[in-house]
């Protein structure tokens, strides 16, 4: 069996419903696992407490009655006799039961027991009796038009047919973990004999999902390693050294290691696909510029794509400063330039007059053509979707790719999200960088906070103030507009105060950011628009209101806005109540450790500020919950890669990999 129509009773209409659930063939149907399980077990009515969920069976006593509560809301009431005890049953809006239920009929009632009224408010009434031994029932998520019961029926018909079920776990691993086979496991997941069997079956299926996933990544990496399509870029070490020695600082050891990796990536005939992870301020951007310079020396264009216009502008300014003596032509491409300017810029890019193009999403507009794009760098890359990255990639002739992220993530997780990338970590801090001192304060201590702020302003330093929203009704949440008023009241007489947020137009935003950078504005109140990349070394304090509303990684990034010069800097986290998560930030300043903590304690969506659908590739496994298994699978896959090509036994796995990985 392969197609849904081969199942008895499944016609075109049912197929449509199944398609809606993402089920397109028998294989999909069989791996459409239950959303959850219920245990069908007779409740001991002597021991139930008020409001508890109960399951009982018995016979209908007397005729049901309909009560019209309103035009839309109807209730059916009847009595059920169980073991000589009588209970009232109330069911809402399942009017069909009125005709179905007959005096003396055996039924099962599932619902909540209200002791005072001796009534079960039923969520479900079924005809029949409960099994003598408790039964585990699979509950499927379905769509209107297709009942759970019907869906379960089709799944079971498929399971009992002759479906193809290939075991992808190599036999020596099956032995190592004492797994049952896949067919058994699939059966058990849909119709568990016991909780123990169910657990065992789930482990088996999860393991295979993770195994195949990591195997695909490793296989792609292997192919990539043999992908000789990339351009070999030629440039001299001396020229690169001259550029690096023009900086007024020395590279940290991790920066040097990363630069060297990039150097050999560019020179190799294999395409570079490298992720650079490091805390804000660890010096990723400068590494990106060095890479751009190597690429320039080799004669190719570089595109640097960032998530916000503010950041694009800042990178552009830095690039001009760095490259002015080195002949690299830089351009800034944002959505705020005029049509005429855009056309001119497009022409220059197409003709190869621009070497480094910095911009936002505008870098991937369809009508923009490059002369010879050789390197693509995305900053804070997790903010771009995979599709956008692909779009950019397609614009060059086999361009090399560097992605930068200030939200470091555990290695395995990076692997599972970014797939076949190589990863460079920049952990060492630039010399002389002072640790930012972090304080957690309760809202009641606001006077303390204001005093601390005053001290910094008096020293001529600058301050960021962050609020979670721009404006809003909710009085318990501070917003940018209200805070601006308050700060003006407190500090308006001694210094200039500015405000930026996402609703301002770009000109205004840039103007204010500029004034802050120039030191004209002392206190800048903003939303998280400044979250990424902004660099003002004279800023020595960041005060974050309602800090509890942000993810730890976001807070850590925000904290990275300060401590960029050689002055002692502070981060103040404000919240109404004491909070363990926030206290963790007082003690810890290592972005890798923080993301690990975040990762293990919160949903992975929060980790990135945007929802990652990393888990959508798994039907059963969950990267966070099954993290330990993932680590084990990773080692197993590494081991397996050594034998994959050795034995004909694994030919079917190679076929599978060839089918899923695009070999073109
Ligand atoms: P990131 O992109 O990782 O947030 P940046 O590259 O923007 O960090 O660096 C932050 C600041 O530190 C910049 O002003 C940069 O010039 C400076 N910097 C980078 N590397 C070093 C270093 N090795 N020593 C001293 N300062 C550095
Ligand atoms: Mg940066």
């Amino acid at each position: 069996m392969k197609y849904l129509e081969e199942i008895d009773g499944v016609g075109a209409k049912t197929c449509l419903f199944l398609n809606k659930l993402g089920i397109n063939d028998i294989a999909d149907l069989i791996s459409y696992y239950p959303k959850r399980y219920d245990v069908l077990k007779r409740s001991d009515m002597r021991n139930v407490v008020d409001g508890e969920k109960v399951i009982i069976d018995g016979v209908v006593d007397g005729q049901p009655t309909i009560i019209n509560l309103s035009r839309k809301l109807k209730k059916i009431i009847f009595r059920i006799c169980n073991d000589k005890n009588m209970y009232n049953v109330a069911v809402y809006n399942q009017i069909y039961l009125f005709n179905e239920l007959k005096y003396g009929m055996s039924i099962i009632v599932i619902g909540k027991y209200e002791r005072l009224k001796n009534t079960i408010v039923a969520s479900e009434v079924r005809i029949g009796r409960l099994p003598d031994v408790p039964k585990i029932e699979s509950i499927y998520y379905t769509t209107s038009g297709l009942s759970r019961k019907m869906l379960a029926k089709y799944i079971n018909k498929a399971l009992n047919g002759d479906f193809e079920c290939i075991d992808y776990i190599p036999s020596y691993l099956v032995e190592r973990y004492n797994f049952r086979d896949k067919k058994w496991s699939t059966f058990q997941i849909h119709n568990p004999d016991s909780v123990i069997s169910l657990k065992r079956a789930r482990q088996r299926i999860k393991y295979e999902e993770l195994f195949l996933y990591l195997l695909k990544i490793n296989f792609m990496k292997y192919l990539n390693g043999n992908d000789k399509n990339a351009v070999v870029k030629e440039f001299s070490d001396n020229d690169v050294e001259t550029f690096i020695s023009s900086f007024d600082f020395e590279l940290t050891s991790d920066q040097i290691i990363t630069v060297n990796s990039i150097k050999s990536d560019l020179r190799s005939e294999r395409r570079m696909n490298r992720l650079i992870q490091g805390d804000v301020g660890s010096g990723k951007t400068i590494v990106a510029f060095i890479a751009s310079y190597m690429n320039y020396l080799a004669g190719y264009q570089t595109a640097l794509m960032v998530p916000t216009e503010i950041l694009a502008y800042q990178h552009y300014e830095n690039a001009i400063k760095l490259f002015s003596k080195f002949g690299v032509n830089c351009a800034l491409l944002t959505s705020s330039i005029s049509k005429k300017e855009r056309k001119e810029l497009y022409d220059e890019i197409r003709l190869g007059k621009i070497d480094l193009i910095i911009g936002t999403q505008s870098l991937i507009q369809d009508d923009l053509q490059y002369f010879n794009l050789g390197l693509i760098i995305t900053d804070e890359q997790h903010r771009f979707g995979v599709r956008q990255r692909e779009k950019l990639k397609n614009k060059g002739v086999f361009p090399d790719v560097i992605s930068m992220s200030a939200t470091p993530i555990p290695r395995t997780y990076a692997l599972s999200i970014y797939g076949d990338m190589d990863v460079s970590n920049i952990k060492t801090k630039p010399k002389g960088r002072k640790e930012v001192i972090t304080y957690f304060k309760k809202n009641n201590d606001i006077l303390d906070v204001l005093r601390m702020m005053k001290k910094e302003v008096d020293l001529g330093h600058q301050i960021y103030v962050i609020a979670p929203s721009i404006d809003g009704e909710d009085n318990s949440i501070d917003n940018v507009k209200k805070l601006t008023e308050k700060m003006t009241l407190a500090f308006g007489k001694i210094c200039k105060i500015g405000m930026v947020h996402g609703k301002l137009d770009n000109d205004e935003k840039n103007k204010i950011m500029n004034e802050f950078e120039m030191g004209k504005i002392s206190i800048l109140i903003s939303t998280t628009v400044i979250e990424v990349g902004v660099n003002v070394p004279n800023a020595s304090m960041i005060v974050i209101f309602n800090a509890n509303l942000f993810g730890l990684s976001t807070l850590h990034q925000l904290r990275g806005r300060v401590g960029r010069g050689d002055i002692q800097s502070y981060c103040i986290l404000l919240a109404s109540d004491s909070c363990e998560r926030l206290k963790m930030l007082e003690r810890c300043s290592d972005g890798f450790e923080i993301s690990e903590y975040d990762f293990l304690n919160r949903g992975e969506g929060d980790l990135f500020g945007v929802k990652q659908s990393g888990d959508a590739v798994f039907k059963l496994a969950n990267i966070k919950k099954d993290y330990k298994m993932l680590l084990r699978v990773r080692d197993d896959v590494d081991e397996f890669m050594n034998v994959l090509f050795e034995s004909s036994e694994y030919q079917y796995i190679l076929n599978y990999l060839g089918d899923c990985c695009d070999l073109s």
Side-chain angles (χ1 to χ4, degrees):
M1 272 208 296
K2 200 166 169 201
Y3 304 104
L4 295 173
E5 288 88 345
E6 293 176 60
I7 301 173
D8 242 8
V10 173
K13 204 171 144 206
T14 309
C15 272
L16 279 181
F17 287 128
L18 291 170
N19 294 161
K20 242 187 180 170
L21 296 170
I23 302 171
N24 297 308
D25 55 23
I26 296 284
D28 290 342
L29 185 64
I30 280 171
S31 58
Y32 192 81
Y33 302 125
K35 181 181 67 164
R36 61 183 175 83
Y37 298 89
D38 269 351
V39 179
L40 216 51
K41 182 184 171 198
R42 194 172 284 124
S43 307
D44 179 355
M45 292 304 284
R46 288 166 303 186
N47 293 324
V48 289
V49 292
D50 188 42
E52 195 178 310
K53 186 185 161 184
V54 295
I55 302 175
I56 62 165
D57 54 359
V59 293
V60 181
D61 188 75
Q63 279 301 321
T65 320
I66 290 193
I67 299 175
N68 290 317
L69 295 168
S70 71
R71 218 154 47 90
K72 282 200 174 140
L73 191 62
K74 295 182 171 42
K75 174 161 104 168
I76 299 177
I77 51 171
F78 59 92
R79 282 185 305 182
I80 179 174
C81 179
N82 146 292
D83 253 0
K84 301 189 195 92
N85 293 315
M86 199 74 89
Y87 302 96
N88 302 309
V89 180
V91 199
Y92 290 89
N93 276 352
Q94 299 182 32
I95 297 307
Y96 66 92
L97 284 172
F98 179 73
N99 294 321
E100 214 155 278
L101 297 177
K102 301 272 169 333
Y103 179 75
M105 187 182 253
S106 290
I107 55 163
I108 300 166
V109 172
I110 302 171
K112 254 196 190 138
Y113 184 55
E114 291 179 2
R115 183 167 281 285
L116 221 59
K117 297 185 200 154
N118 188 33
T119 295
I120 300 167
V121 180
S123 55
E124 205 181 330
V125 176
R126 295 190 205 170
I127 293 166
R129 294 197 65 92
L130 285 168
D132 290 332
V133 279
K135 182 171 177 275
I136 303 173
E137 272 201 327
S138 301
I139 309 291
Y140 296 92
Y141 172 82
T142 187
T143 175
S144 65
L146 182 67
S147 69
R148 284 175 179 177
K149 218 167 136 186
M150 287 313 283
L151 180 55
K153 199 169 120 191
Y154 297 138
I155 290 173
N156 279 304
K157 278 190 179 177
L159 282 172
N160 290 314
D162 62 318
F163 63 96
E164 192 180 38
C165 191
I166 304 176
D167 259 291
Y168 285 107
I169 308 178
S171 49
Y172 73 92
L173 287 172
V174 169
E175 246 166 70
R176 181 178 301 169
Y177 295 112
N178 195 16
F179 285 136
R180 293 291 297 263
D181 67 45
K182 189 167 174 180
K183 206 155 195 168
W184 180 88
S185 306
T186 309
F187 261 93
Q188 285 298 320
I189 284 184
H190 290 290
N191 302 298
D193 287 338
S194 67
V195 175
I196 292 171
S197 303
L198 177 60
K199 271 193 182 154
R200 202 163 168 201
R202 281 173 61 89
Q203 292 295 95
R204 162 66 182 73
I205 300 291
K206 277 186 200 174
Y207 184 95
E208 187 178 274
E209 284 182 357
L210 294 170
F211 183 82
L212 284 180
Y213 188 69
L214 291 187
L215 186 61
K216 269 185 251 176
I217 288 167
N218 271 264
F219 186 70
M220 257 149 51
K221 227 170 168 170
Y222 164 84
L223 292 180
N224 211 21
N226 291 318
D227 174 5
K228 304 284 196 281
N229 280 323
V231 182
V232 173
K233 288 171 181 137
E234 288 170 24
F235 50 89
S236 88
D237 280 349
N238 267 342
D239 288 344
V240 178
E241 280 314 312
T242 311
F243 179 58
I244 292 175
S245 58
S246 76
F247 306 159
D248 49 15
F249 51 78
E250 283 184 11
L251 295 184
T252 64
S253 57
D254 282 347
Q255 281 175 322
I256 293 171
I257 293 170
T258 309
V259 165
N260 285 336
S261 305
I262 292 171
K263 206 191 265 179
S264 51
D265 283 351
L266 287 173
R267 283 175 174 160
S268 99
E269 51 192 9
R270 155 179 128 86
R271 212 145 103 178
M272 164 160 64
N273 190 9
R274 183 168 292 280
L275 170 68
I276 305 177
Q277 302 197 105
D279 273 356
V280 265
S282 61
K284 298 180 297 294
T285 310
I286 198 77
V287 170
F289 285 141
I290 298 170
S292 313
Y293 188 61
M294 296 180 201
N295 187 54
Y296 159 80
L297 289 173
Y300 292 92
Q301 287 177 309
T302 303
L304 172 58
M305 186 158 82
V306 299
T308 65
E309 305 237 329
I310 292 177
L311 202 51
Y313 185 71
Q314 254 192 8
H315 281 340
Y316 174 66
E317 297 229 297
N318 281 332
I320 288 183
K321 260 183 250 157
L322 279 174
F323 288 123
S324 61
K325 285 187 256 125
F326 292 89
V328 181
N329 284 325
C330 307
L332 177 67
L333 181 59
T334 63
S335 56
S336 45
I337 57 172
S338 72
K339 256 199 171 139
K340 185 164 156 279
E341 283 173 309
R342 179 186 313 269
K343 192 180 168 305
E344 280 170 17
L345 198 49
Y346 272 30
D347 286 343
E348 287 182 330
I349 293 171
R350 188 166 38 81
L351 296 171
K353 290 182 183 158
I354 307 284
D355 306 305
L356 172 61
I357 306 109
I358 299 171
T360 53
Q361 316 253 7
S362 47
L363 294 190
I364 49 170
Q365 298 305 313
D366 281 328
D367 48 346
L368 172 57
Q369 278 172 10
Y370 292 88
F371 176 65
N372 65 354
L373 184 59
L375 174 64
I376 296 163
I377 303 170
T378 61
D379 195 3
E380 303 309 332
Q381 63 100 32
H382 59 269
R383 281 157 194 272
F384 292 105
V386 174
R387 188 153 320 138
Q388 289 161 311
R389 268 186 276 150
E390 281 309 310
K391 216 167 158 186
L392 242 188
K393 240 175 165 174
N394 294 336
K395 283 187 173 289
V397 224
F398 305 114
D400 288 302
V401 178
I402 294 176
S403 311
M404 301 192 283
S405 175
T407 316
I409 50 181
R411 207 194 98 83
T412 311
Y413 199 50
L415 197 70
S416 63
I417 288 181
Y418 306 126
D420 53 340
M421 286 187 179
D422 291 312
V423 180
S424 294
N425 289 328
I426 302 188
K427 288 192 173 186
T428 46
K429 291 252 150 67
K431 234 192 230 145
R433 207 47 71 76
K434 285 211 179 75
E435 198 95 325
V436 177
I437 297 175
T438 302
Y439 294 111
F440 169 74
K441 293 271 178 193
K442 290 199 193 162
N443 288 348
N444 295 344
D445 298 328
I446 184 73
L447 280 179
D448 271 1
V449 176
L450 291 175
R451 246 176 252 130
M452 289 160 84
M453 289 175 70
K454 167 99 175 19
K455 210 169 132 198
E456 293 307 305
V457 172
D458 286 345
L459 287 167
H461 300 160
Q462 290 161 277
I463 302 176
Y464 295 102
V465 173
I466 308 290
S469 67
I470 299 172
D471 43 24
E473 309 282 280
D474 190 344
N475 275 328
S476 66
I477 295 175
D478 292 287
N479 65 57
V480 169
K481 289 186 176 161
K482 253 193 314 195
L483 275 178
T484 304
E485 281 169 24
K486 283 185 193 164
M487 291 298 155
T488 307
L489 220 65
F491 297 105
K493 287 217 175 87
I494 60 166
C495 66
K496 189 167 175 189
I497 290 162
M499 160 176 103
V500 282
H501 53 72
K503 283 190 193 160
L504 295 180
D505 64 45
N506 284 324
D507 283 350
E508 193 146 357
K509 232 188 293 184
N510 287 340
K511 182 176 150 260
I512 292 167
M513 285 313 291
N514 228 336
E515 283 185 31
F516 189 66
E517 269 174 68
M518 309 284 288
K520 286 183 194 152
I521 289 176
S522 295
I523 301 179
L524 182 70
I525 294 107
S526 98
T527 50
T528 53
V529 287
I530 58 137
E531 184 191 328
V532 270
V534 174
N535 190 23
V536 179
N538 188 47
S540 64
M541 182 176 275
I542 184 163
V543 184
I544 304 168
F545 283 80
N546 296 104
N548 50 312
L549 298 180
F550 297 100
L552 288 189
S553 292
T554 303
L555 291 171
H556 180 60
Q557 278 214 21
L558 285 167
R559 174 164 70 177
R561 301 293 111 235
V562 298
R564 300 205 142 209
D566 43 21
I567 46 181
Q568 179 57 57
S569 299
Y570 304 90
C571 168
I572 299 172
L573 306 170
L574 275 152
S576 53
D577 296 303
S578 155
C579 173
E580 190 43 44
R581 276 174 60 237
L582 297 180
K583 286 202 172 134
M584 190 258 174
L585 286 179
E586 279 186 328
R587 338 181 263 277
C588 181
S589 60
D590 178 346
F592 287 84
E593 205 177 304
I594 288 165
S595 79
E596 190 92 36
Y597 182 93
D598 232 3
F599 177 71
L600 294 172
N601 290 286
R602 307 186 51 161
E604 52 267 20
D606 300 316
L607 195 55
F608 302 97
V610 285
K611 196 90 193 135
Q612 283 280 353
S613 58
D615 270 354
V617 290
F618 304 117
K619 297 202 157 144
L620 222 51
N622 173 301
I623 288 217
K624 203 180 105 200
K625 288 188 187 143
D626 301 313
Y627 190 54
K628 273 196 187 135
M629 184 189 273
L630 187 70
L631 293 179
R632 211 167 55 217
V633 174
R634 182 193 59 188
D635 293 343
D636 292 344
V637 167
D638 282 348
E639 181 189 44
F640 181 62
M641 282 303 285
N642 295 320
V643 293
L644 173 61
F645 302 97
E646 304 293 307
S647 160
S648 60
E649 188 190 333
Y650 304 127
Q651 186 57 45
Y652 77 102
I653 297 185
L654 274 175
N655 293 345
Y656 169 83
L657 290 170
D659 283 348
C660 355
C661 304
D662 186 5
L663 294 175
S664 58

